[in-house]
Amino acid sequence: MYDAIIIGGGPAGLQAALTLGRMHRRTLLLDSGGYRNGTVRHAHNLLTNDGRDPAELRRIARGEIAAYDAVEIRDAVATEVVRDGDALTVTVDGDTLRAHAVILASGVADELPPIAGLAEHWGDTVANCPFCHGHEFAGRPVAVVNASPHAAVLARMLEPVASEVHVVAPDDVSEVSGSHDGLRLRLGDGTALEVAGAFVAPTWTVRGAFVDALGLERQDSGAIRTDPFGRTSVEGVYAVGDIAQPDHLPGPMFSLAAAIAGGQLAAVAVVQSLVA
Ligand SMILES: Cc1cc2nc3c(=O)[nH]c(=O)nc-3n(C[C@H](O)[C@H](O)[C@H](O)COP(=O)(O)OP(=O)(O)OC[C@H]3O[C@@H](n4cnc5c(N)ncnc54)[C@H](O)[C@@H]3O)c2cc1C
């Protein structure tokens, strides 16, 4: 019987594991190896690690966690989470494991607008968040490829950073090509737009079929509804990182720092519930 099983080895899950390890709570972390920022080589806006390769961040985190005997990390896929009396069971590789608490940190999956060539640049010169990727295009033109009302907000955010901000509807872009140094957007009227980078708005869904099966309450955004400590509507089940949206926030906060903070708070709540 584990004190906690964490599903996800991104920043949210890794921080939860570190906190539980330091409190000597028997913890299993499962990691299927698919990270939201898997194509990113330089993550930004994380204090003391601005610009670090996210894979390196995960490697350092695993090394730190290895110092705590209570934590086991398994590179494996969780397929089912079920409440069973006072415990929760998690199915992995055909085994059924039991825990007092389960922390869901399985992240979200992005679907990009269907524009030829876009995916090749995702995480490099194509991104979604100006806080993470924006300064890298400083003083050069950028494109906001977005037809929603949010496009104008994004454009205003980028004004002090970029030399020009071009707002283009996704339907108007037929193809994206380029390199690490810049992009060429072929437009519907046959002309081309040369920019340093482009911002797109992917649609996203929470990862893990077990999330639906648990019947967890969701927010309007689609994220899992939690309290400030990551508690969901099912007792013993916590959600942290990109998949979670606490009630006090207007939407899920997609950032490494927010994921780390969520992981730590949920681990504290798990320890509190174990001693209660
Ligand atoms: C292109 C891009 C660039 C970004 N750049 C930045 C940046 O520069 N700075 C910043 O602060 N944020 C950035 N972000 C956001 C940041 O990557 C996320 O907010 C952060 O990774 C969320 O962490 P997480 O732990 O919730 O999820 P993830 O990092 O996505 O980790 C999810 C984990 O769950 C695991 N998992 C999923 N399903 C299962 C399963 N069934 N069984 C076992 N394991 C499972 C995965 O393998 C993975 O280990 C960027 C996002 C994108 C898309």
Side-chain angles (χ1 to χ4, degrees), residues 15-16 19 228-231 238 240 260-270 272:
Q15 175 62 54
T19 304
F229 283 87
R231 298 180 189 95
Y238 300 73
V240 292
I260 289 167
Q264 187 185 76
L265 292 177
V268 168
V270 168
Q272 281 174 337

Side-chain angles (χ1 to χ4, degrees), residues 7-13 30-37 39-40 42-46 58 76-79 105-108 110 122-123 126-128 132-133 207-208 210 240-243 253-257 259:
I7 303 177
L30 302 169
D31 185 348
S32 62
Y35 313 98
R36 189 175 189 194
N37 57 7
T39 62
V40 174
H42 301 282
H44 297 100
N45 208 16
L46 183 66
R58 289 187 291 270
V77 182
T79 48
S106 49
V108 304
D110 291 302
W122 177 235
V126 176
N128 56 333
C132 306
H133 303 263
R207 268 196 295 217
F210 43 79
V240 292
D242 282 3
I243 57 166
M253 295 289 116
F254 294 146
S255 86
L256 300 167

